[in-house]
Amino acid sequence: MPVTATTSVPDAERLRALVRDFLATHDPRERLRFLRARFDAGLAWVHYPEGLGGLGLPRALQSVVDEEFAAAGAPDNAPRRNLIGLGMVAPTILRFGTEEQKRRFLRPLWTGEEAWCQLFSEPGAGSDLAVLATRAVRDGDDWVVTGQKVWTSRAHEADWAILLARTDPDVPKHRGLTYFLCDMHSPGVVVRPLRQATGEAEFNEVFLNRVRIPDAHRLGAVGDGWRVAQTTLMNERIAIGGGAAPRETGALGVVARTWRERPELRTPGLHDELLRLWVAWEVNRLTNERIRQQLANGQPGPEGSAVKLAFARLNQRVTGLELTLLAGEGLAYDDWTMRRPAGVDFTQRSPGYRYLRAKGNSIEGGTSEILRNIIAERVLGLPPEPRTDKDVPWKDLPR
């Protein structure tokens, strides 16, 4: 039976049959051709609409597809390397993009032919993203963008970026923003590495010098960028907070393994701390699973901020416990050269690297202070903190 995106699949067994039929008729050794065909067959993300890599099925059935392809040894689309594109950009384009934008961008994004980065953070914005100053000015069918972004992961490898820019300085800060899809190969885009405490240059600063973006690459309405960005940010926090992970993985798994293999390092106090962290880590892992199920039934909610906040705190405590456990041995560092890593690795690197890199968890994907505000106001329903600049035009804000 040929596999097409219009095939009706009422249950998991029929979906498994679809995957097996696909595997029987496509050569996995031709990786890119295989991935493109998988997208066209609706077996990329089954919860997406037909024609956009999916079959319009419940998101929970994605695991059925992934299990079948993995069991067959088929190539995947390197999801860890394409975290920003798959986890943040794709759901935003799906929700706010035009039909033309969806068909132009989603296929090469999913196959990994086009890499993405996120041009949100700015040096002068601090924790309050809404005060960003990068300007976009309309010029005919284009927008001319000028400004500076910072802490941009993978900008040096990206083909495209999601960009938040100010298009109206005469209205309050949240209302004057517009969301764009920016070609990173455009004239005027300059990417420079940023060296971190770990010695690596995982991030970049990006300068935008009169970069022209066609209005056709605007995502959402003019001035509605803050609302569009919320979809990106909520997906980002869930992505950083952790995916579906087995018990005792990540930094906690490393510490637990050391504890079992090195009994001479144990003390009663460290034993109690490890138990506390193990329980808290497991609570966060299961909470994340619950939120992922919530995602399967619709849009992500503000509860993802709690998972990301808890992950940041736990990861820092676990990596600190590892250094205490290993004492002087844990302070040895493996590399201070300015490497450009493909991703963050909390299991294969040294304890010193894990300790230093975990500090960034409090900043990336929304600072812990901002996440606490989101949880207080949008999850718990507490009164908002006073905002004296709420109705003040952005151009009149002190800077």
Side-chain angles (χ1 to χ4, degrees), residues 239-272:
I240 292 176
R247 182 178 291 179
E248 278 193 20
T249 51
L252 181 72
V254 175
V255 176
R257 186 166 58 251
T258 301
W259 181 268
R260 294 189 180 99
E261 296 174 352
R262 303 282 301 276
E264 74 278 10
L265 302 175
R266 300 173 186 170
T267 69
L270 292 175
H271 179 261
D272 290 347

Side-chain angles (χ1 to χ4, degrees), residues 275-317:
L275 284 180
R276 282 191 288 269
L277 291 176
W278 193 96
V279 171
W281 193 281
E282 187 65 4
V283 168
N284 200 49
R285 185 182 73 86
L286 296 175
T287 303
N288 190 56
E289 279 297 312
R290 180 175 178 179
I291 290 180
R292 292 180 71 82
Q293 291 172 16
Q294 176 181 317
L295 251 182
N297 294 318
Q299 295 301 316
E303 296 84 356
S305 297
V307 174
K308 193 273 176 179
L309 175 64
F311 167 76
R313 296 176 62 187
L314 283 171
N315 213 35
Q316 289 164 3
R317 289 178 63 188

